[in-house]
């Protein structure tokens, strides 16, 4: 650029015989180039970057040491503000600067600031930490040490005794319930038919003892069976001594 300016100056001196109007125009153009040359040179040789720096404070404006400061640049930058101060070199653009103070992986205080860098230079952004400003879903929950819980001995004997007692009570209640609900099971139709067939073979009359022996029934079952048949009107029982005479009724 400086070389171009010198060439134009030399050309202007060589053409002093031009008319006065052209000479003034060329001279003004040279002055403009000379004025803008340093700015153009600086823009071509200096990158479009800025320095962002600042200090991390608590609510009492005391420096906070060892806070973690991050900026959402590409790639993301993160530093530990050991002495409470931080610094980033960033290209022009918009950024979010975050600071967090951690204790045993739990966020105690947090701060967020946004900045838009339009021109190169140095920007001072101080961060003030506020307690519990981090959204709940991003707060690191404190891990629970379950080793103490696992290490404790649990006496399960009382628990087992309680469960066994409840089971026994339920079992007794079920037995009582079913006994009350239990009804006398009616005899199968085949047993009644066998009794009727046997009485017919005996001429329509026989004894209860003979029926019991023929059908291989117990005395109690035979008595219940004949009582049911009597209630249905199939037979007639006549008491004779210690036994009963069974007479088949004709329908």
């Amino acid at each position: 650029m400086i070389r171009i300016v010198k060439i134009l100056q030399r050309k202007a001196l060589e053409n002093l015989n031009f008319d006065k109007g052209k000479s003034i125009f060329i001279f003004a153009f040279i002055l403009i180039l000379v004025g803008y040359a340093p700015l153009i040179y600086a823009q071509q040789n200096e990158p479009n970057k800025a320095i962002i720096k600042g200090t991390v404070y608590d609510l009492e404006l005391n420096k906070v040491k060892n806070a973690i400061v991050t900026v959402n640049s590409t790639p993301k930058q993160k530093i530990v503000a050991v002495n409470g101060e931080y610094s980033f070199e960033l290209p022009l653009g918009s950024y979010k600067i975050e600071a967090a103070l951690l204790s045993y992986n739990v966020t105690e205080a947090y701060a967020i600031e946004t900045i838009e860098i339009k021109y190169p230079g140095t920007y001072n952004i101080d961060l003030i930490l506020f307690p519990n400003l981090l959204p709940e879903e991003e707060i690191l929950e404190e891990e629970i040490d379950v080793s103490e819980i696992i290490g404790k001995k649990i006496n399960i004997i009382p628990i087992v005794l309680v469960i066994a007692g409840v089971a026994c009570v339920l079992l007794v209640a079920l037995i009582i319930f079913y006994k009350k609900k239990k009804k006398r099971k009616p005899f199968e139709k085949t047993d009644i038919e066998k009794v009727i067939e046997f009485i017919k073979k005996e001429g329509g009359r026989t004894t209860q003892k003979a029926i019991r022996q023929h059908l291989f029934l117990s005395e109690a079952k035979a008595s219940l069976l004949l009582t049911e048949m009597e209630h249905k009107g199939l037979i007639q029982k006549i008491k004779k001594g210690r036994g009963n005479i069974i007479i088949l009724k004709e329908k």
Side-chain angles (χ1 to χ4, degrees), residues 129-175:
L129 299 179
F130 288 87
N132 301 326
L133 286 185
L134 190 64
E136 291 184 0
E137 62 271 13
E138 295 182 12
I139 294 178
L140 297 175
E141 297 182 356
E142 184 177 1
E143 296 183 358
I144 300 175
D145 187 5
V146 297
S147 60
E148 296 182 359
I149 299 175
I150 297 175
K152 292 181 179 179
K153 294 182 179 179
I154 301 175
N155 189 2
I156 63 172
I157 295 178
I159 299 175
V160 173
L161 292 177
V162 171
I163 295 174
V166 173
C168 291
V169 172
L170 291 176
L171 181 60
V172 172
L174 288 174
I175 292 174

Side-chain angles (χ1 to χ4, degrees), residues 3-202:
R3 184 182 299 176
I4 295 173
V5 172
K6 290 181 178 180
I7 293 173
L8 291 175
Q9 288 177 344
R10 188 169 59 252
K11 290 289 185 180
L13 293 174
E14 292 176 355
N15 295 301
L16 286 176
N17 55 349
F18 286 177
D19 57 31
K20 187 176 180 180
K22 289 184 178 180
S23 298
I24 294 173
F25 175 78
I26 293 173
F27 184 73
F29 181 71
I30 292 172
L31 289 178
I32 293 172
L33 288 178
V34 171
Y36 276 95
L39 180 60
I40 296 173
Y41 178 80
Q43 290 180 349
Q44 290 178 348
N45 291 275
E46 293 184 4
N48 293 328
K49 291 187 177 182
I51 302 297
I52 308 298
K53 65 178 183 177
T55 305
V56 182
Y57 296 101
D58 59 16
L59 289 178
E60 297 179 355
L61 298 181
N62 298 318
K63 283 187 178 182
V64 178
K65 297 181 179 181
N66 299 322
I68 299 176
V69 184
T70 59
V71 61
N72 62 337
S73 57
T74 304
K76 187 175 183 180
Q77 300 184 53
K78 178 187 295 186
I79 64 170
V80 178
V82 178
N83 297 319
E85 298 179 353
Y86 73 94
S87 177
F88 295 109
E89 185 179 32
L90 301 170
L92 304 184
S94 298
Y95 299 96
K96 180 172 68 173
I97 303 173
E98 305 177 39
L101 181 63
L102 303 180
S103 176
Y104 298 102
N105 292 330
V106 178
T107 302
E108 292 186 347
Y110 197 77
I112 300 177
E113 292 289 344
T114 57
I115 182 174
E116 184 177 0
I117 305 174
K118 294 183 178 180
Y119 307 103
T122 301
Y123 296 79
N124 190 76
I125 304 294
D126 292 332
L127 303 173
I128 300 177
L129 299 179
F130 288 87
N132 301 326
L133 286 185
L134 190 64
E136 291 184 0
E137 62 271 13
E138 295 182 12
I139 294 178
L140 297 175
E141 297 182 356
E142 184 177 1
E143 296 183 358
I144 300 175
D145 187 5
V146 297
S147 60
E148 296 182 359
I149 299 175
I150 297 175
K152 292 181 179 179
K153 294 182 179 179
I154 301 175
N155 189 2
I156 63 172
I157 295 178
I159 299 175
V160 173
L161 292 177
V162 171
I163 295 174
V166 173
C168 291
V169 172
L170 291 176
L171 181 60
V172 172
L174 288 174
I175 292 174
I176 295 174
F177 175 78
Y178 281 110
K179 280 187 175 181
K180 288 183 177 180
K181 291 290 183 179
K182 187 177 180 180
K183 295 181 180 180
R184 182 174 59 85
K185 185 178 179 181
F187 292 99
E188 295 180 359
K189 186 177 180 180
T190 54
D191 292 334
I192 295 176
E193 290 176 347
K194 290 178 181 179
V195 172
I196 293 174
E197 289 176 358
F198 178 71
I199 296 174
K200 286 181 178 180
K201 288 181 180 180
E202 296 295 317

Side-chain angles (χ1 to χ4, degrees), residues 217-236:
L217 300 175
S218 65
E219 186 173 355
K221 186 173 182 179
S223 178
L224 291 173
L225 176 60
L226 294 174
T227 300
E228 183 178 3
M229 293 178 67
E230 185 179 21
H231 288 164
K232 291 182 177 181
L234 299 175
I235 61 172
Q236 179 183 358

